[in-house]
């Protein structure tokens, strides 16, 4: 299967060293009771679908959680069994994939770019098992083809949606400074930051203003990163650094690091808005709902559900799924509690921009776009 070349930015090859290394083997899979689907329905077949998280875990209220929701939805619809295993660190990935294969999984979903190499290794070793991977083409030799024929890539052009969020952030900002930071300098993270900056720059072009982005520079591909996908003091300090530079809108990209950004915002006492990523964080984490201007959505739940359904029905198709604004694979949430605080003209402007991105008259392509 030929695909477009995976665009992994400079430094991505070193991504294996970005997360905190913890000792220990992969965790054993957690399975639903024998004969039942995870949703409690009676299993209708011996098909078993499984998922391995990245180090953020399934309770991140964002990236991993959204993927699991998709698998659970397919399980409840079709009545097949699921099993999951959480990775505590990057060193768990290979062992977790091996454990799931040994547990008799017919279909295994890897959640995240950093699982690419271990997923390819597992897929080649288990040609009778079907795999899907979120956020990567599994093209680790950069030859333009997925490295195993039994892997389905689920990738998303989130720069398109982040462009809209960047434009909205520039519109909302009173300080004229907005900020973003990431968990790791890898394409599925920087693509959000690229789109965010492009949206801000488009606002400036359209309005004759000069809203600044701190924390990321698309041209140099340099910016602020915590080096891990954890809500901790490091993430809070990075967020605080952006606030100290005057940012009154923050886009943290990397699962639970938004929780640390929310702490920094509350501690600052300022009128600072937060952006969510992947899921509609207003819905998944009500504890930060009052801070959320908007969330940049990535339809991983739908993509995983459809891929699992195809596999369960014997119709597995390794053709990559690419989520875009046009197919609703990416998008933005409503403004929820901020609806009355944004410019009344903003909704119509965003719809026009969305149409322009879809028809190509507005360039929203990132170096990391699929």
């Amino acid at each position: 299967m030929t695909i477009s070349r995976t665009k992994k930015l400079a430094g991505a090859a070193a991504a294996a060293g970005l997360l905190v290394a913890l000792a220990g083997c992969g965790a054993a899979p957690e399975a639903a009771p024998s004969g039942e689907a995870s949703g409690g329905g009676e299993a209708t077949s011996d098909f078993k679908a499984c998922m391995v998280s990245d180090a953020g875990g399934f309770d991140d209220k964002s990236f991993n959680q959204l993927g699991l929701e998709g698998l659970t939805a397919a399980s409840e619809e079709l009545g097949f069994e699921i099993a999951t295993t959480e990775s505590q660190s990057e060193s768990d990935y290979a062992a977790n994939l091996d454990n799931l294969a040994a547990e008799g999984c017919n279909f295994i979903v890897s959640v995240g770019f950093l699982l690419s190499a271990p997923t390819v290794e597992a897929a080649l070793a288990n040609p009778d098992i079907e795999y899907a991977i979120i956020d990567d083409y599994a093209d680790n030799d950069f030859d333009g083809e997925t490295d195993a024929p039994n892997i389905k890539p689920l990738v998303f052009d989130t720069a398109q949606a982040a462009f809209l969020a960047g434009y909205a952030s520039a519109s909302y900002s009173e300080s004229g400074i907005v900020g973003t930071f990431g968990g790791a300098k890898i394409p599925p993270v920087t693509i959000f930051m690229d789109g965010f900056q492009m949206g801000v720059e488009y606002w400036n072009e359209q309005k004759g203003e000069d809203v600044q982005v701190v924390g990321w520079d698309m041209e140099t591909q340099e910016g602020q990163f915590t080096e891990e996908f954890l809500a901790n003091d490091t993430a809070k300090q990075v967020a605080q650094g952006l606030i100290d530079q005057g940012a009154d809108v923050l886009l943290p990209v990397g699962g639970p690091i938004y929780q640390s950004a929310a702490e920094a915002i509350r501690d600052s006492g300022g009128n600072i808005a937060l952006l969510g990523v992947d899921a509609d964080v207003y819905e998944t984490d009500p504890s930060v709902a009052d801070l959320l201007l908007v969330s940049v959505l990535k339809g991983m739940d739908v993509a995983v559900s459809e891929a699992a359904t195809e596999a369960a029905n014997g119709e597995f198709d390794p053709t990559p799924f690419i989520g875009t604004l046009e197919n609703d694979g990416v998008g933005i949430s409503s403004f929820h509690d901020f609806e009355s605080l944004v410019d009344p003209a903003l909704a119509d402007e965003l719809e026009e921009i969305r149409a322009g991105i879809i028809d190509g008259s507005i360039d929203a392509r990132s170096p990391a776009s699929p």
Side-chain angles (χ1 to χ4, degrees):
M1 174 183 57
T2 300
I3 59 176
S4 35
R5 182 176 297 276
T6 308
K7 296 183 174 72
K8 300 180 180 176
L9 308 182
L18 288 172
L19 303 183
V20 176
L22 300 175
C25 299
E30 298 175 6
S34 179
E36 292 185 2
S38 64
E42 189 69 24
T44 57
S45 73
D46 57 2
F47 181 81
K48 185 175 182 178
C50 304
M51 178 173 282
V52 55
S53 79
D54 71 9
F58 289 119
D59 62 349
D60 61 3
K61 305 187 190 317
S62 179
F63 183 68
N64 291 279
Q65 179 174 317
L66 199 61
L68 180 56
E69 287 175 359
L71 191 64
T72 301
S75 164
E76 292 174 347
E77 176 70 22
L78 298 180
F80 57 74
E81 180 184 359
I82 68 172
T84 64
T85 181
E86 286 194 337
S87 303
Q88 301 303 313
S89 76
E90 192 176 348
S91 62
D92 293 342
Y93 297 158
N96 282 342
L97 286 162
D98 288 344
N99 288 344
L100 290 175
E103 285 286 319
C105 298
N106 307 104
F107 175 68
I108 299 175
V109 182
S110 297
V111 186
F113 169 91
L114 293 173
L115 280 86
S116 182
T119 301
V120 169
E121 184 176 352
L124 291 174
N126 300 282
D128 294 333
I129 298 177
E130 293 161 343
Y131 291 80
I133 183 167
I134 296 171
D135 273 350
D136 195 64
Y137 278 117
D139 176 20
N140 295 290
D141 58 8
F142 304 102
D143 68 351
E145 297 184 357
T146 302
D147 293 343
N150 50 332
I151 299 177
K152 181 180 183 69
L154 308 176
V155 295
F156 303 85
D157 196 352
T158 39
Q160 296 184 351
F163 188 109
L164 300 177
Y167 186 92
S169 297
S171 172
Y172 177 79
S173 177
E174 295 182 354
S175 69
I177 302 172
V178 297
T180 182
F181 68 102
K185 190 180 178 184
I186 56 176
V189 171
T190 61
I191 191 172
F192 280 91
M193 301 164 82
D194 286 338
F196 181 73
Q197 182 177 337
M198 285 188 285
V200 172
E201 291 177 350
Y202 190 74
W203 164 268
N204 289 337
E205 292 171 7
Q206 297 299 303
K207 305 296 183 179
E209 296 191 12
D210 188 26
V211 177
Q212 300 295 308
V213 176
V214 294
W216 180 245
D217 186 325
M218 180 175 171
E219 183 176 350
T220 64
Q221 293 287 301
E222 296 295 336
Q224 297 290 308
F225 297 92
T226 65
E227 307 297 342
E228 54 194 348
F229 296 109
L230 299 173
N232 56 22
D233 286 341
T234 299
K236 184 176 179 180
Q237 289 166 9
V238 173
Q240 185 61 55
L242 300 178
I243 293 171
D244 290 344
Q245 294 179 64
D248 61 358
V249 181
L250 293 183
L251 171 66
V253 186
I257 67 173
Y258 77 86
Q259 296 164 5
S260 301
E263 287 185 22
I265 289 172
R266 295 198 192 283
D267 288 352
S268 75
N271 184 26
I272 300 166
L274 179 69
L275 271 63
V277 298
D278 299 326
D280 185 349
V281 180
Y282 184 96
E283 303 290 349
T284 62
D285 190 355
S287 73
V288 301
D290 61 306
L291 301 178
L292 282 163
L293 173 63
V294 72
S295 290
V296 183
L297 306 178
K298 184 159 66 171
M300 296 182 298
D301 51 345
V302 175
V304 169
S305 179
E306 291 182 354
T309 298
E310 290 173 356
N313 289 332
E315 300 170 349
F316 177 77
D317 180 1
T319 302
F321 168 84
I322 303 175
T324 64
L325 288 176
E326 185 171 16
N327 64 18
D328 294 323
V330 299
I332 59 172
S333 71
S334 76
F335 291 108
H336 296 296
D337 294 350
F338 281 72
E339 200 74 53
S340 63
L341 303 177
V342 300
D343 186 336
L346 182 59
D348 288 341
E349 291 177 9
L350 290 175
E351 186 54 40
E352 290 179 9
I353 294 168
R354 179 181 182 275
I357 292 173
I358 290 172
D359 69 24
S361 60
I362 297 175
D363 184 8
R365 285 193 59 79
S366 157
S369 290

